[in-house]
Amino acid sequence: MKNNRSISFGEAIREGLLQASEIDPSVIHFAEGVEDPSAVFGTLKDIGKEIGQNRMIEMPVSENALTGVAIGAALTGKRPVISFHRVEFAMLALEQIANNAAKFHYVSNGKHNVPLVMRLIIGRGWGQGPEHSQSLESVFAYFPGLKVVMPARPKDAKGMIIAAVEDKNPVLFIEHRWSHYAVGDVPQNYFSTGITGPERIKTGDAITVVATSYMTLEALRVADALERVGVNIELFDLRVLRPLSLEAIVESVKKTGKLLTIDTGFRTYGIGAEIVSSVIERSFEFLKTAPIRLGLPDHPTPSSASLIKNYYVDSIMILEKISQVVDIAPSVLEQLKKSIVNERNNIPIDVPDPFFKGPF
Amino acid sequence: MLLSKGSRSVNCLANKLMTLEKKTSLALYSNMLKIRLVEEEIASRYNEQEMRCPVHLSIGQEAAATGVGFALTQKDKVFSTHRSHAHYLAKGGDLSKMIAEIYGRATGCIGGRGGSMHIMDPEVGMMASIPIVGSCIPLAIGSALSDTLDGNPVVSVAYLGDASIEEGVFHESANFAKLSNLPVLFVCENNLYSVYTHISERQPPRLITSIPEAHGIPMVHCDGNDIEAVYASTLRALDNIRSQNGPFFLLLDTYRWREHCGPNFDNDLGYRSEQEFMEWKMKDPVEQYRKKLLAKKIITKETDLELTDNIQKEITVAFDFAKNSPFPELETAINHVYA
């Protein structure tokens, strides 16, 4: 049988978690509704049947304590995986994450390890409003001692969740709910990508584009469209926000002289702010134009679809920004926009785009 | 005072009938005395400004730590707070490593990375000290969960103060510990004050004893200045936990003699009265037990002096060790961010 087959990002997460749990008996799972009918959007479905229900720990609605419990278990030999349905729920656990998970290895002078995975699901659309749709990666990326990853594509979903479970450190594994629907080729065997990034997924010299999570998919669509008219952008899927590795991006900017960052979350104090400032520090003289940052504007997410028209970054917005610094004839730009709109086929802006068909 | 009065105390009367072996009595006394003398030494040397970190001293609270610590086995695990010196020493901690840690030296139990507020030494089961109120509690629950899954007959202890009862994380942890029937001993040292604020200004006039009860957790409330009562109550609690009856809560009334943080007395500040302080000082756990052991002829004035002298020598050795130890190298500051 072919090792690669096409599955969704969500299925890839489940497969990675199941295989990692089967291989390592110290893996235990925590979630609210850990074995309920939805099993965290299906990502934990039937794992308990395979590995034993005593390793599937129902989490009372006590996010801070149960995160502390998972840290305590990690200190004493377990590899806990906590799955949060919404990143906002993890805000209740920020005390344990910031004070304990991030610090234990350091303050104990290396005597303690916290091999912990916290899955934080972010999202957008369908009127989720201000407290069910945020993308708070920069909050977590602030703390040395935490690893923060944001896979975008199905193969990475599996390889990175396995890497996160295998890692000796607390890993915040941020999944975009819309990416869950993305489909692509994923190997069936157990494999790890390591906690490594960024990954160059398009090579070009027109501009360096750095995207995170679901925004990588939106940027990829733009890269594909531009490629058809002979413009090649260099697109990085950042994948790992902390520890942040900038070498490849700096090298790329030296080549292209232009940089665009695309945050999944807020633009102000976003991941793009860190990347842009670091790149400027290291390759100022190579920049031909001022770097550009895209991200959410400075207001909470409203629920009504009519209020989010210009809120989320999408491929049209990315294309327009690129056209400000890359030579694209106006007629070509209009034609590209039309083709992207047509690809979306008038799907409303608040539901996932069906273009996730992979393979990527 | 909210707690003791009319408390439905499951009390320690029955336990008091237990007679301790002479060597146990001596060990308990000796450890309390050691904690007292160590803390006083820290207080007296603090102004030299070589211990360059905050210190939260346990003077007045020696019986609570000693009674609990000595009832535990070496394999039991302890999770402590900012006021951790006594907990560490009662768990078999290494005095020299503790003092070196407070002096910020490379030979400290964690190489000078945490100082007084983070005393930890997993080798003796001192898993962690966390200076955020309530923050260590769920860690103890997680440790108990691990041991339960692995079938290890080990108890995890969560030390907490009266203010932890005000933290959500305490209630969340108690709920989960009971739900999962975990081998956890909650030890609440009620010293009445959160920094300068009396418990009556922070909690309604209900008994703390009602809190574990509401969580369905059995408890014992006893005089935290009575070493034998604390020791016997802890043994009873541990017996209950090791019989797989789930978590247990120990409420110990005690009093911090000196300021919340630092080496001084602070009755002059006016947040508590000299009279209240003197009332508690009369209940001095070390002095009470000294008198008792003298009366029982377990110690004599001579052997007591000799013991004091030996402990003082041990303390001098520890401070000399710390002060003669190297500081950690600057370039190591970046180590251990990631494993």
Side-chain angles (χ1 to χ4, degrees), chain A residues 185-217:
Chain A
D185 276 1
V186 179
Q188 294 193 35
N189 60 299
Y190 182 83
F191 72 98
S192 164
T193 57
I195 304 291
T196 53
E199 186 181 343
R200 182 189 290 110
I201 56 176
K202 285 281 177 184
T203 305
D205 53 14
I207 184 172
T208 303
V209 178
V210 184
T212 54
S213 185
Y214 171 75
M215 295 320 301
T216 305
L217 305 180

Side-chain angles (χ1 to χ4, degrees), chain A residues 34-275:
Chain A
V34 70
E35 293 201 284
D36 74 5
S38 90
V40 190
F41 306 117
T43 55
L44 299 179
K45 193 171 162 46
D46 293 336
I47 288 182
K49 284 185 186 159
E50 303 292 332
I51 67 167
Q53 267 140 352
N54 63 329
R55 290 169 62 191
M56 305 301 285
I57 294 155
E58 177 60 28
M59 179 167 162
V61 187
S62 306
E63 291 83 1
N64 197 34
L66 268 292
T67 299
V69 168
I71 295 167
L75 293 175
T76 51
K78 298 296 170 196
R79 287 186 180 274
V81 178
I82 318 179
S83 300
F84 286 98
H85 290 76
R86 308 273 178 222
V87 70
E88 286 87 351
F89 301 170
M91 297 312 281
L92 289 155
L94 202 52
E95 189 277 311
Q96 286 293 327
I97 298 169
N99 288 333
N100 291 339
K103 310 282 193 288
F104 253 113
H105 184 67
Y106 186 84
V107 80
S108 71
N109 210 15
K111 288 183 180 180
H112 281 306
N113 292 337
V114 183
L116 168 71
V117 180
M118 297 186 72
R119 294 177 57 217
L120 310 173
I121 294 173
I122 59 174
R124 73 195 243 181
W126 199 248
Q128 299 275 4
E131 295 178 15
H132 265 51
S133 65
Q134 296 174 89
S135 192
L136 301 173
E137 58 275 11
S138 24
V139 173
F140 304 104
Y142 184 69
F143 298 103
L146 300 180
K147 291 190 177 182
V148 181
V149 305
M150 291 179 96
R153 298 164 298 153
K155 185 180 169 187
D156 280 351
K158 180 172 175 184
M160 290 180 81
I161 195 73
I162 287 172
V165 173
E166 287 181 348
D167 204 272
K168 290 179 181 171
N169 301 284
V171 181
L172 284 92
F173 192 92
I174 302 177
E175 300 164 31
H176 200 290
R177 184 71 185 112
W178 280 17
S179 292
H180 275 193
Y181 300 101
V183 172
D185 276 1
V186 179
Q188 294 193 35
N189 60 299
Y190 182 83
F191 72 98
S192 164
T193 57
I195 304 291
T196 53
E199 186 181 343
R200 182 189 290 110
I201 56 176
K202 285 281 177 184
T203 305
D205 53 14
I207 184 172
T208 303
V209 178
V210 184
T212 54
S213 185
Y214 171 75
M215 295 320 301
T216 305
L217 305 180
E218 291 280 351
L220 191 58
R221 160 179 278 178
V222 176
D224 286 341
L226 284 170
E227 206 171 83
R228 291 197 291 270
V229 296
V231 176
N232 295 304
I233 68 169
E234 186 135 297
L235 175 60
F236 287 92
D237 175 6
L238 189 60
R239 300 205 325 174
V240 180
L241 280 57
R242 189 182 266 280
L244 183 60
S245 168
L246 287 166
E247 300 305 322
I249 294 168
V250 169
E251 286 312 306
S252 173
V253 170
K254 285 179 181 172
K255 177 176 70 176
T256 64
K258 294 169 187 171
L259 174 63
L260 165 67
T261 62
I262 314 170
D263 266 80
T264 308
F266 294 114
R267 177 180 180 273
T268 306
Y269 293 106
I271 302 304
E274 179 60 37
I275 292 173

